[in-house]
Amino acid sequence: MEKIPTHRSSRTAAILMAAAAVMPLSSHVAHAQSLVQQEVARRAAQVQEADAALLEGRKLYAESKYEEAVAQYKKALSLLPSGPAVADRRHAYTGHLVDGSIALTQQYRRIGRYQEARELLTEVLNKDPLNMAAKQQLEYLDDPIRTNPVLTYEHTQDTEKVRKHLYRSEGYYNLGQYDEAEEEYKEVLRIDRYNKAARRGLERIANTKSDYYRAAYDHTRSELLKEVDAAWELTVAPRVQFTDDLTGTSQQDVTGALYIRRKLQNIILPLVDFQDISVTDAVDQLRQRARELDTLELDPTKKGVNFVVITPKSNSGSEDAAASEFGASTSTSSTTIDSLQMRNVPLEVALQQICDKAGLRYKVEDYAVKLLPVNEFEDTELYTRSFSVPPDFMTLIGDTSGSASAASSDPFADPVDSGGGSGIAATPPVKDLLEKSGVVFPDGATASFSRARSALTVRNTANNLDIVEQLVNDIKNQKPKQIRIATKFVEVTQENTDELSFDWILSPVTLNGSATQFLSGGTIGSGAPRIGSDFTSPQIPGIPSDPTANVSNIVTAGNRTGTYAIDRNAIDAFLNNPNRLASGNTAAPGILSLSGVYGDGQVQMIMRGLSQKKGADIMTAPSIVARSGEKATIEIIREFIYPTEYEPPELPNSVGSNNNTGTTGILGTTTSSTNSFPVTPATPTAFETRNTGVILEVEPTLGDDGYTIDLRFAPEIVEFEGFINYGSPIQTSGTDALGNPVTVTLTDNRIEMPVFSTRRVTTGLTIYDGHTVAVGGLMKEDVQKVEDKVPVLGDIPLIGRLFQSNSENHTKSNLIIFTTVNIIDATGKSVRNSMGELDSSGASSLGGGSDGLLPTIK
């Protein structure tokens, strides 16, 4: 075997030991060099980041975004490392920061941020004590001429808000959204109450809406007159096809317990076969079969019927005794059905048979059918609970109870005089109000309300306490609900009169100078007379010089014209007529005349034409705001006092001596005499007061869905038309100066009674929020048509029209009563906008679902 020298190994070990001694020193040097390189790299990276921040700051400075620029300059200085190597760069950065701070200071001074500007300038002077621009800006801050001392930053912010609102309102106006534009202008006035631009904008919107409403007026008037014309239509009844299918409403029309009961009646079990089976197992089979056989329900999650089996209580021996007395065991699950076999029976019949055999009863609830032992009674143990309620809890719960009984009482009946006079009625006990709200109070149950603590304390059973809790929660979740009711009485009257007639006067015509009469006009007879003023010059034989005298030689005396053809309202003719006589008739005005001379005869023709149109429109719109369930009344009236009874006139028993009176004239003094005696005319002895004007009584009730309003209202408008004189003048006889008998009126003896016109509606209806319903009205049209003609002459083709008189008068009237309801909040603002959408602020103030959605209207 080869041997290796030992000295070689020793020398190698020595070398290794020397290298090990030198290695720590070299490793420390290499590590130090690595740290220096890392620090240099880090400082270089910081310089690069600082330069990037500086460049971003300079860019923002050029864009006049001084606040962001100063932030970038400060960031650049914070990133810049310390040391003499970057001293020049730090000095340049500081100069940029000073310039940006001064520019930002000027911006702060313009918008009223004086404190921030002063702090920036102080910081600049700390960095550059000799900066003249900073010192100048400090002087400007203290100069009240250059710097408004009362200007605040909030004011500049409000100015910016006003500018944005004005721009938005102008945009809304250009889009035709005038309500939204109006809200923007109002928001401007809330910020700046003296803003003229907002006021001018509101004025412009008001003028625009006024133009629209005038167009709406013309449209409404035309629409109402169109309805009068359409009322003449006799509609033809549609052909109806009768079928034998007279089943009730569909399955989707009902919900709750009625929906479950319909299922019990409609689900048919083809086979029921129970042999020695427990009630629980029988109910499980019914539950499974109901799910399989429920073919009318389309939703698979709603198929079938839920059954709940209630186990009877057995806490005491008395209850066990009662159970045995009624034939029920102490456990429903242990009750068995020995035998039950049926075919093709409704589920309800099978369920009733199971209950009869097991000594049970079933109760249909909203979501399930509950099986109860016949001896199961309600819990009678009483508990005491306190509820925190609003201070007006008694009023709110009183509204709830009042609405429940509104259907059985007249909300507009006069209050019964109880002897205590009018005033605020005493609040009923809270127990009575809770009972009217559906809470049952068994023996020993009590309720009290502390107005000072706003606390309701109730001692009752657990179930009734749950009802009270639900009632309290409903009231606490309510917000003030008010309803604005606007009623409009719109009456449109249109009278159109058209007439075209001819009158002929023909004086006697002789032939060849012979005294024999050849041709002339006729007599007046019983026709409509014409007087001298109805014809024009030149005067011809037959037309008297007296304009009030009747004409003669008239060919068309029998043709009616003017008011001889068209009769006016008889009551209007008597109103304010002291002599109780109808107004005189007149002929239609002449529009063209033609005169001719034929030898010794003369003829004159007058063409009478009339085309008149007269309209009278009346709109009365009383409105009122009322809380839900409360009656409200508005009266805008004038008390009109008029006599109802008269004392008859008093006449003396004997006539006194003559009373001679002298009159001096050109013929000397003349004397006339009358019988002189005292006369007392009819004197009023009893009076009555009638309110004339507008009276509106309403009682709105908001529905559970928060969208429908049940409204009972009775608007009434009473107007005074005038007086009718029922008295006759008292007269006596006498003689004038020439001895002729005359009649002298001693007294008019007026007995006047008023005439009133009344428009009244008393009804109840249901209206959706924001909608308008026509609740009543009267359409009427009086048509008078006259076609008169002279016999023979009027039948001649073409020429016969000259001997005809045609008059036509149409008087149309349409009275429509509208009512509009709006649900408003406590500020008077509608909870829904013009599009019918529920505002987010009003979602929780209404009833209905928690999602705040409107109900679907079909």
Side-chain angles (χ1 to χ4, degrees), residues 466-484:
D466 291 340
I467 298 175
V468 174
E469 182 180 10
Q470 182 65 35
L471 180 63
V472 170
N473 291 336
D474 292 342
I475 292 179
K476 291 173 67 175
N477 292 333
Q478 289 180 355
K479 288 187 177 181
K481 296 183 290 292
Q482 302 176 120
I483 301 172
R484 179 172 54 237

Side-chain angles (χ1 to χ4, degrees), residues 248-488:
T249 57
S250 62
Q251 186 77 8
Q252 288 77 13
D253 293 336
V254 294
T255 57
L258 183 58
Y259 172 70
I260 300 297
R261 188 170 295 277
R262 290 284 178 86
K263 283 193 173 186
L264 294 177
Q265 297 171 354
N266 294 331
I267 296 177
I268 305 299
L269 301 177
L271 177 63
V272 177
D273 188 3
F274 295 150
Q275 299 290 335
D276 296 329
I277 187 173
S278 66
V279 173
T280 304
D281 293 340
V283 171
D284 288 341
Q285 292 189 22
L286 290 181
R287 184 183 297 110
Q288 181 179 358
R289 295 294 291 165
R291 188 180 301 108
E292 296 173 354
L293 300 173
D294 190 2
T295 59
L296 297 179
E297 179 59 65
L298 300 179
D299 189 354
T301 61
K302 297 181 180 180
K303 287 184 175 294
V305 180
N306 297 321
F307 293 94
V308 178
V309 182
I310 304 299
T311 302
K313 298 180 181 179
S314 58
N315 296 334
S316 63
S318 61
E319 294 181 351
D320 294 339
S324 60
E325 180 181 355
F326 284 96
S329 62
T330 58
S331 177
T332 304
S333 60
S334 61
T335 303
T336 59
I337 301 173
D338 53 358
S339 178
L340 179 61
Q341 295 179 348
M342 292 181 294
R343 289 182 180 275
N344 297 325
V345 294
L347 180 59
E348 184 180 24
V349 175
L351 183 62
Q352 183 63 46
Q353 293 296 327
I354 293 175
C355 292
D356 293 342
K357 286 184 172 292
L360 303 173
R361 61 184 178 90
Y362 72 90
K363 179 182 179 182
V364 180
E365 296 184 347
D366 290 343
Y367 299 99
V369 178
K370 184 182 294 185
L371 277 73
L372 304 169
V374 294
N375 62 328
E376 185 72 18
F377 298 99
E378 297 292 338
D379 186 12
T380 58
E381 185 175 358
L382 301 180
Y383 304 90
T384 302
R385 287 185 60 186
S386 295
F387 304 91
S388 177
V389 296
D392 57 347
F393 174 77
M394 298 287 284
T395 302
L396 296 176
I397 195 174
D399 295 342
T400 304
S401 62
S403 60
S405 61
S408 60
S409 61
D410 184 7
F412 307 121
D414 294 333
V416 179
D417 188 4
S418 59
S422 60
I424 301 177
T427 305
V430 66
K431 180 180 177 181
D432 296 344
L433 297 177
L434 291 174
E435 286 179 342
K436 291 181 179 180
S437 300
V439 181
V440 179
F441 282 82
D443 294 339
T446 60
S448 62
F449 173 69
S450 174
R451 194 177 300 274
R453 297 184 294 109
S454 297
L456 173 66
T457 304
V458 180
R459 179 173 176 80
N460 210 321
T461 62
N463 292 335
N464 289 327
L465 287 177
D466 291 340
I467 298 175
V468 174
E469 182 180 10
Q470 182 65 35
L471 180 63
V472 170
N473 291 336
D474 292 342
I475 292 179
K476 291 173 67 175
N477 292 333
Q478 289 180 355
K479 288 187 177 181
K481 296 183 290 292
Q482 302 176 120
I483 301 172
R484 179 172 54 237
I485 303 99
T487 304
K488 290 184 181 180

